Amino acid sequence: MQHRILALALLPLLGACVSAIPAAPAPGGAAPPSAHPSAPPPTRPAPPQRAADFRVPRVMNMPGLEGVIGADAEALQRTFGTARLDVREGDARKLQYSGEACVLDIYLYPPRPDAEPTATYVDARRSSDGLDVDRAACVAALRRR
């Protein structure tokens, strides 16, 4: 009786030692997905946006943002220098500039299909605590002298 209890107690330990048997290939020759893939699955780029799907962006219009709103990325780099962040998503782009006074995020969208993105919106916050600051004051503080 003791031998049976001992054998039953050791069964889970023995099961842990057995290596897994590879799964048989799926019908059609494709191998089943691995439990631990070694590389991420391939991604497909977003399909190009059709002109019929294009949405004209709203353009911010505030005093003190002249020379920023409507500018392309090259003009913004001439004004502020190299962006701290340059993020692209689809046909949109975000440039971020920062200094002691503030962090400036400039959002660029194409004004029409297949056009170069231009700045349409600006957001500004304090570097220290992230609270909103006057956008025009931040632009003035970060402009190259």
Side-chain angles (χ1 to χ4, degrees):
M1 181 74 172
Q2 269 187 332
H3 292 293
R4 283 186 182 178
I5 294 173
L6 181 59
L8 288 174
L10 292 176
L11 220 82
L13 295 174
L14 290 173
C17 294
V18 176
S19 65
I21 299 171
S34 171
H36 302 287
S38 59
T43 57
R44 295 182 189 164
Q49 191 174 29
R50 298 180 313 206
D53 295 335
F54 182 78
R55 291 177 50 195
V56 177
R58 287 187 181 176
V59 179
M60 177 183 268
N61 184 11
M62 292 178 68
L65 300 180
E66 300 84 10
V68 175
I69 297 297
D72 64 11
E74 288 182 21
L76 293 168
Q77 289 179 358
R78 285 191 300 273
T79 302
F80 298 107
T82 303
R84 177 175 170 241
L85 287 176
D86 185 346
V87 181
R88 296 171 194 251
E89 186 173 329
D91 60 358
R93 190 170 179 182
K94 173 183 148 180
L95 298 176
Q96 185 179 86
Y97 298 94
S98 64
E100 284 186 42
C102 60
V103 175
L104 182 69
D105 293 318
I106 304 173
Y107 298 89
L108 298 88
Y109 296 93
R112 60 191 170 283
D114 299 322
E116 182 72 22
T118 59
T120 60
Y121 186 81
V122 173
D123 198 14
R125 61 189 177 281
R126 281 196 300 222
S127 300
S128 60
D129 59 11
L131 292 177
D132 289 344
V133 297
D134 181 79
R135 293 171 174 99
C138 185
V139 165
L142 294 178
R143 279 188 194 273
R144 287 180 139 183
R145 306 271 177 220

